[in-house]
Amino acid sequence: MSRNTKIPAGRVTVNSIAAHAGVSIGSVSSVLNNRHVERRISPETVEKIRASAAKLGYLPNISARRLRGGDGVKNNVVLALITSFEAPIPLVKHFIVALRQAVAAGNEHTFSVLIEMFPAGRLREMPGLLTGDHFNAALVMNTTAEDDAFLARAHLPYPVVLVNRSIPGYPSVVEAAEAGGRPADILFRRKCRRMGVLHGSPLTQTTRARVDGFMQRALHVSGIAPNEIVAGMLSELAGYEAMRAFLKGGGKCDGLYAVSDALALGAYRAIKEKGLGIPGDVAVIGVGDYDIAPFFDPPLSCVGVSHQELAEQAATLLLQQLARGRESGRTVEVPLVESLRASTGAA
Amino acid sequence: MSRNTKIPAGRVTVNSIAAHAGVSIGSVSSVLNNRHVERRISPETVEKIRASAAKLGYLPNISARRLRGGDGVKNNVVLALITSFEAPIPLVKHFIVALRQAVAAGNEHTFSVLIEMFPAGRLREMPGLLTGDHFNAALVMNTTAEDDAFLARAHLPYPVVLVNRSIPGYPSVVEAAEAGGRPADILFRRKCRRMGVLHGSPLTQTTRARVDGFMQRALHVSGIAPNEIVAGMLSELAGYEAMRAFLKGGGKCDGLYAVSDALALGAYRAIKEKGLGIPGDVAVIGVGDYDIAPFFDPPLSCVGVSHQELAEQAATLLLQQLARGRESGRTVEVPLVESLRASTGAA
DNA sequence: TGACTTTGAAAAAACGTTTTTTCAAATCCG
DNA sequence: CGGATTTGAAAAAACGTTTTTTCAAAGTCA
């Protein structure tokens, strides 16, 4: 995150301190880095400089430090993880680990990872996004339709990899296209006929694809159009409320696909409260974006991509762009992983 | 005063490109930033420069860019979030939000947030930690005992705030001391007499305090020393296995305190598998480090600090250190929040 | 033809550090 | 007392950019 404010009024630098203490900047630097013994600065001068620094409230400029460069500081590449505030960032850890491994192969650079968060729909206002002043490459995720539209017409002057979004001109890593269809198949095999899909509003590119894929396949295999159950957001509470309202209103459903595990967990509660059994009365399937889905009660069946895989592919693709130059259109599809558990009747 | 025209062996810079293309660095920079129209660079030169840049694989040095400074790039302060790989980073989002709010008021600087992860126990090897080359201030969390020992003897040359660790010489934000005692009281009030505490190994400072506090208070109020149930780590699976082994071995327990919600969720499964009821046979209480604890089945009672509060306090303290200079010993205790739910028999 | 303008690009300056070099003054030693 | 050494600190160089300034050559116009 970088919040921009506009008081250009002089920052305190080694120069200010030097002026204030009446010494040279070299002496100031030596003292500030505790090199005053080797550099033979007299105790009085040390004291003067320390006092001035404390009084003025000195904050070193990290860019300048790194530019000058000490050990391992040079040849540093800055990668940004750009995500909206509203969405969780479960990928962060995986991404950093993946990046670390990709890097460990040992080449000439060191990497820093910067986290930049923006309010949903306002990616365009992010400082440094258009100029490339802040990082060398970026991984962008959790964008809204509005952000996607902005990205489609912008041209970012550095390598970018999109996660779970597909926009012309950008390489991206996305879940396999049949993420929506597969759950429909699974539920149909489970003999579900009146299926439902629980999703949030507004839809993102990914959740829309899941919903559409599910609707089509479910209709195709069962001959019955599934119910669309719309929650306010992707949270447990929203899922609970939407599902409760649906059931209360007499909605019937023997197989439910939730486009996030949070929604699935919320639905669990509504279903149980209604006195229905999972999977006996309603089979439920999620997307596997919660690591703890196997510990839901009953354990949640999921069809989705492995976060680790997604992160690894994204990291690899990003580093490739950096190494080989940008390839504008490359899209990597991460294969689905089916984890069938008790919520769809598996052992 | 001959400007050097040599090609440095290392990283590709504007200088290398200029030498390769036989032009000046100014021209290179202009072309690279798409300023060649205003700057009246001839099409042939543009082409030459583009070709050289592509061929050499140019990556701009972000530090140099930021040093030169465009709009809003100056006066930038870099904050680091330092955490071990092994632990989740649920605080990240809260921290960034809190920071953003804290910053919105003051308006002298812009901030960047850097994420630095280290393998548990090897904080000391983190590049830039001792020199302060990478950031202006840091928030350190999820350290092991070994890391804590390192911190105790190190002197980091920038403001640091520890999260949930207390080490002489560092300001810190910690959960209230009675985090372990309170659950014992609650369970005792629930008429639990044979209590147990489920924790991971090795213990961190925080989990040790919880365990110790619980043991003492439980013994004090009930007169019976609680069982210590030790899991391999803080995961659901480890909690499940430890609890299952405990119950299988004939262990009895009518009130369980888990030092992480992950452990609690694992224990849930073991308890249910054994045919026991929650809270009927075993009341369970966690620490509230999972946002979804209210959606466990039954909803998990928790005694712990609010992540948001923790993050806000940490951010505030860090910014204070930056603004006012370091205050070595300040410790902020974040008050406990009791969320009593069905797992201890609440409505 | 000669005083202008335009064109294209090189040179220089600046950003804030850290480190290396230089240098004057003080001190030492024979 | 004078050359050599030590002390303390200023000055300069370097890091890699971007922007501003300078400047030569070519073109324009009267």
Side-chain angles (χ1 to χ4, degrees), chain A residues 1 136 236 269 272 294 297, chain B residues 60 111 269 272 292 294 297:
Chain A
M1 174 189 79
N136 292 106
E236 289 82 10
R269 168 170 297 177
K272 291 174 183 173
D297 183 12
Chain B
F111 288 82
R269 168 169 298 177
K272 291 173 181 174
I292 61 174
D297 184 11

Side-chain angles (χ1 to χ4, degrees), chain A residues 1 3 83-87 116-126 142-144 146-147, chain B residues 100:
Chain A
M1 174 189 79
R3 179 136 192 108
T83 176
S84 83
F85 279 106
E86 282 71 11
E116 303 265 356
M117 298 185 86
F118 62 93
R122 296 168 62 184
L123 172 61
R124 79 180 67 180
E125 296 168 20
M126 224 188 68
N142 294 320
T143 48
T144 66
E146 201 175 346
D147 299 320
Chain B
R100 198 164 188 265

Side-chain angles (χ1 to χ4, degrees), chain B residues 286-310:
Chain B
V287 299
D289 58 350
Y290 269 4
D291 288 340
I292 61 174
F295 278 88
F296 284 11
D297 184 11
L300 180 67
S301 290
C302 297
V303 171
V305 298
S306 141
H307 273 182
Q308 191 187 328
E309 173 84 8
L310 199 66

Side-chain angles (χ1 to χ4, degrees), chain A residues 3-346:
Chain A
R3 179 136 192 108
N4 192 349
T5 54
K6 40 175 135 186
I7 294 188
R11 174 169 180 158
V12 178
T13 70
V14 280
N15 237 304
S16 334
I17 299 177
H20 188 268
V23 299
S24 73
I25 60 171
S27 302
V28 172
S29 177
S30 302
V31 170
L32 257 29
N33 293 293
N34 287 317
R35 292 268 144 61
H36 51 281
V37 180
E38 305 100 285
R39 302 276 167 74
R40 298 182 309 205
I41 310 286
S42 74
E44 304 87 62
T45 307
V46 170
E47 214 29 68
K48 258 194 308 186
I49 292 174
R50 289 231 169 98
S52 295
K55 178 162 186 192
L56 297 178
Y58 173 67
L59 260 187
N61 179 320
I62 295 294
S63 294
R65 258 196 190 158
R66 300 195 69 134
L67 176 56
R68 188 52 175 74
D71 38 338
V73 166
K74 275 189 205 170
N75 263 25
N76 186 63
V77 175
V78 182
L79 302 179
L81 241 119
I82 304 181
T83 176
S84 83
F85 279 106
E86 282 71 11
I89 36 177
L91 273 178
V92 169
K93 179 180 163 181
H94 289 300
F95 177 71
I96 297 184
V97 172
L99 193 62
R100 199 163 185 265
Q101 284 170 346
V103 164
N107 48 26
E108 58 208 303
H109 302 293
T110 70
F111 289 83
S112 308
V113 178
L114 209 58
I115 291 245
E116 303 265 356
M117 298 185 86
F118 62 93
R122 296 168 62 184
L123 172 61
R124 79 180 67 180
E125 296 168 20
M126 224 188 68
L129 192 73
L130 289 169
T131 55
D133 279 347
H134 290 51
F135 34 76
N136 292 106
L139 210 72
V140 179
M141 57 185 93
N142 294 320
T143 48
T144 66
E146 201 175 346
D147 299 320
D148 294 340
F150 159 71
L151 285 172
R153 60 176 189 273
H155 178 80
L156 304 184
Y158 45 82
V160 169
V161 169
L162 305 181
V163 176
N164 266 338
R165 295 290 183 274
S166 209
I167 299 177
Y170 294 90
S172 60
V173 176
V174 299
E175 66 181 14
E178 53 174 347
R182 199 81 74 82
D185 287 339
I186 293 168
L187 290 176
F188 183 75
R189 245 182 278 133
R190 263 287 304 172
K191 313 253 185 286
C192 300
R193 292 301 176 267
R194 309 187 57 124
M195 304 187 205
V197 57
L198 176 57
H199 66 77
S201 170
L203 289 164
T204 64
Q205 203 179 73
T206 311
T207 51
R208 175 178 300 284
R210 289 177 190 156
V211 170
D212 290 351
F214 181 82
M215 298 289 284
Q216 286 171 19
R217 184 72 61 87
L219 176 59
H220 180 256
V221 293
S222 74
I224 306 176
N227 283 300
E228 224 177 305
I229 306 166
V230 185
M233 18 181 338
L234 291 186
S235 69
E236 289 82 10
L237 187 59
Y240 165 67
E241 287 171 346
M243 193 65 192
R244 188 181 53 170
F246 173 76
L247 293 174
K248 199 170 196 171
K252 300 267 186 252
C253 155
D254 56 8
L256 181 71
Y257 172 49
V259 300
S260 87
D261 291 352
L263 289 177
L265 186 54
Y268 265 40
R269 168 170 297 177
I271 293 169
K272 291 174 183 173
E273 268 185 14
K274 188 74 177 178
L276 301 173
I278 304 172
D281 299 302
V282 185
V284 181
I285 191 162
V287 299
D289 58 349
Y290 270 3
D291 289 340
I292 61 174
F295 279 86
F296 284 11
D297 183 12
L300 180 67
S301 289
C302 297
V303 171
V305 298
S306 141
H307 273 183
Q308 190 186 329
E309 173 84 8
L310 199 65
E312 279 173 8
Q313 294 287 355
T316 304
L317 198 48
L318 196 63
L319 293 181
Q320 271 178 15
Q321 305 277 317
L322 275 175
R324 299 183 200 160
R326 309 173 53 182
E327 311 167 56
S328 61
R330 180 115 175 266
T331 289
V332 173
E333 267 207 6
V334 179
L336 295 178
V337 176
E338 283 187 20
S339 305
L340 298 186
R341 308 196 180 96
S343 74
T344 54

